[in-house]
Amino acid sequence: MHRLTKKGNYMKTILLIGLLTLSQIAFPQNTNTRIDSLLNEALQQDIFSGVVLIANRDSVQYLKAIGYSDWNTLSPNLTDTKFNIGSIGKLFTQILITQLIQEGKLSLSDNLAKLYPLYKNESNEKITVKLLLTFSAGIGDYFQISEFMKHSDKYRKTEDLISLISKESLLYEPGTSSQYSNSSYVVLGGIIEKLTGKSYLENLKERILNPLKMNNSGFIYKDTKVENKAKGFIVNPAGQKVSTYENTPSVPTPAGGMYSTAEDLLKLDRSFMNNNLLLNDEYKALLLNRFNEDNKKTWQEIVSEQGRGFLFAGGSPGWNAIYNLNFAGKYTVIILSNIDQGAQRINKQIDDILLGKDVTPLVPSADKVVLEIIKEKGADYFTKNYEEALKGISIDNDRILNSLGYIFFQQGKTEEAISVFTVNTKLFPDIANTFDSLGEAYLKAGNKELAIENYMKAFEMDPNNKNAEKILKDLTRQ
């Protein structure tokens, strides 16, 4: 099935608290010129469109918009254009939860039985606030719930979305494993609402956005008319920019999907570093220590530790954002992009520039690389030698090859589509949609046996996949 959204990849976050290489640098004199050149090259290669902001502790050192907020109308990005920041929104939920802990209204050990009974069994006692925050509760991902994907706009209220989530089985025993979970953060949003008697959005505004004067940040829905808001785009291997506006759900939740600007995110950064308006130092340290109460490092120890850094990344089809706070280096880098994976594909190069290094060359997108491999060596070669062919190539989610496979499909190149979909099942064997797509390709090729085999795998992994269920019934009746 041709979907733009996949398990664990619609909204993602990366939290890194460790050694970042910016800690020794002074701001090189030619930094702005080098970043200008990088962004121009990235734009020409269809790698990046968006806004980059770099600041030291005193002031903004670099701020530039490049590319288009809407590639169909060629409306330019501006430095105050609003971008979807994906799972960076989870940082706001973490702040809200930490505020409630600071106020004595909540503790990390509180469980759902006390706060927000979700299940009709003992799972409520086992799932704590800490497990929800650290993706260890066993709760899945609402982007895999077919009802949400079909009618996402009906689930604007946190409680309505939680009603869907509560019907899903746990993926594992709470506390025994860890798996990225958007649903866990929606449940945290429900806890915030129940404890405060206000909606998540009201809490977001009253506790964070309004105090920091983040006037260009918040929830934006598809039917909301907003000036100066970007649209997300995916660039296919042929260089065509395809809007994700119609094909992906756009419902902001406590798990992410809010809009913001680079300068608004800098206000959040300045609050972290310069004041206790949102959180005092003890609770800033709790948040940045990833809610590990055994980690006793104080806020002052964290911000002075050589090489210590804090990075959040968010992404969904057509969007990518990075907020990189480097303590010892005293730099903040904010990158917002309305091209799929755009921020992460220039982040390393910006690091190189800030270090005064030669810039790591920009590389073509993974789907373009695969397209060239198949053009030069054929589909059979790629299927048999994909591990060797993809060495050094980052394919961090299943929708990259899935989209390429459907491009081949639309061109009538079924053999090439089967090759790409097959490799996708090897790279992402735990995602049902990869097998659904492969089943569709085999069905198109007239191979009923392999079509049934792959649709069966897709349905076994995702019993809510009505598409696979219907096709299996039709095929087995024939």
Side-chain angles (χ1 to χ4, degrees), residues 219-247:
F219 283 13
I220 299 176
Y221 300 95
K222 279 187 176 180
D223 57 6
T224 306
K225 291 185 179 180
V226 178
E227 295 295 323
N228 196 20
K229 178 179 74 70
K231 287 186 177 180
F233 286 81
I234 289 175
V235 182
N236 68 26
Q240 298 168 318
K241 297 174 183 69
V242 182
S243 171
T244 61
Y245 181 77
E246 297 296 337
N247 297 321

Side-chain angles (χ1 to χ4, degrees), residues 4 16 71 93 102 142 146 177 216 219-220 242 249 274 311 322 355 367 381 389 417 423 427 440 450 462 469:
L4 288 174
L16 300 177
W71 283 84
T93 298
Q102 179 176 281
Y142 61 86
S146 58
S177 185
N216 288 316
F219 283 13
I220 299 176
V242 182
N274 300 333
L311 185 148
I322 283 177
L355 284 164
D367 52 2
Y381 170 86
V423 171
L427 297 178
E440 185 178 353
L450 287 178
D462 179 12
E469 182 180 25

Side-chain angles (χ1 to χ4, degrees), residues 71-270:
W71 283 84
N72 293 327
T73 62
L74 298 183
S75 304
N77 279 319
L78 306 174
T79 56
D80 62 348
T81 295
K82 302 173 184 69
F83 291 81
N84 190 313
I85 61 173
S87 276
I88 291 180
K90 288 183 176 68
L91 172 58
F92 291 81
T93 298
Q94 290 183 359
I95 292 170
L96 292 173
I97 287 289
T98 309
Q99 286 176 337
L100 293 174
I101 296 173
Q102 179 176 281
E103 294 164 12
K105 298 175 182 176
L106 187 65
S107 75
L108 290 175
S109 61
D110 285 344
N111 60 28
L112 289 182
K114 175 182 178 180
L115 299 169
Y116 202 113
L118 195 64
Y119 302 102
K120 297 178 180 178
N121 55 38
E122 67 279 3
S123 297
N124 289 319
E125 284 76 29
K126 297 177 181 179
I127 296 175
T128 64
V129 171
K130 182 175 180 178
L131 292 183
L132 292 168
L133 287 165
T134 57
F135 306 118
S136 305
I139 298 176
D141 199 311
Y142 61 86
F143 287 104
Q144 291 304 298
I145 301 176
S146 58
E147 165 61 20
F148 174 78
M149 296 304 295
K150 289 177 183 177
H151 308 290
S152 60
D153 200 53
K154 290 170 50 179
Y155 296 95
R156 296 187 181 189
K157 291 183 178 180
T158 304
E159 61 187 28
D160 293 338
L161 188 48
I162 289 177
S163 71
L164 280 184
I165 293 169
S166 66
K167 297 172 186 175
E168 299 293 301
S169 299
L170 293 182
L171 301 178
Y172 51 84
E173 184 73 10
T176 63
S177 185
S178 180
Q179 182 169 317
Y180 192 82
S181 170
N182 285 305
S183 294
S184 290
Y185 272 71
V186 175
V187 175
L188 288 168
I191 291 170
I192 292 166
E193 292 186 346
K194 192 167 184 180
L195 287 176
T196 62
K198 297 179 179 181
S199 72
Y200 178 86
L201 184 54
E202 287 175 317
N203 277 283
L204 180 66
K205 290 178 179 178
E206 293 176 12
R207 288 173 169 268
I208 302 176
L209 302 184
N210 291 345
L212 297 184
K213 295 182 171 54
M214 296 178 66
N215 300 323
N216 288 316
S217 301
F219 283 13
I220 299 176
Y221 300 95
K222 279 187 176 180
D223 57 6
T224 306
K225 291 185 179 180
V226 178
E227 295 295 323
N228 196 20
K229 178 179 74 70
K231 287 186 177 180
F233 286 81
I234 289 175
V235 182
N236 68 26
Q240 298 168 318
K241 297 174 183 69
V242 182
S243 171
T244 61
Y245 181 77
E246 297 296 337
N247 297 321
T248 57
S250 181
V251 179
T253 76
M258 67 180 284
Y259 282 75
S260 190
T261 67
E263 290 172 296
D264 264 12
L265 288 177
L266 185 65
K267 293 175 182 178
L268 179 68
D269 171 86
R270 295 293 119 124

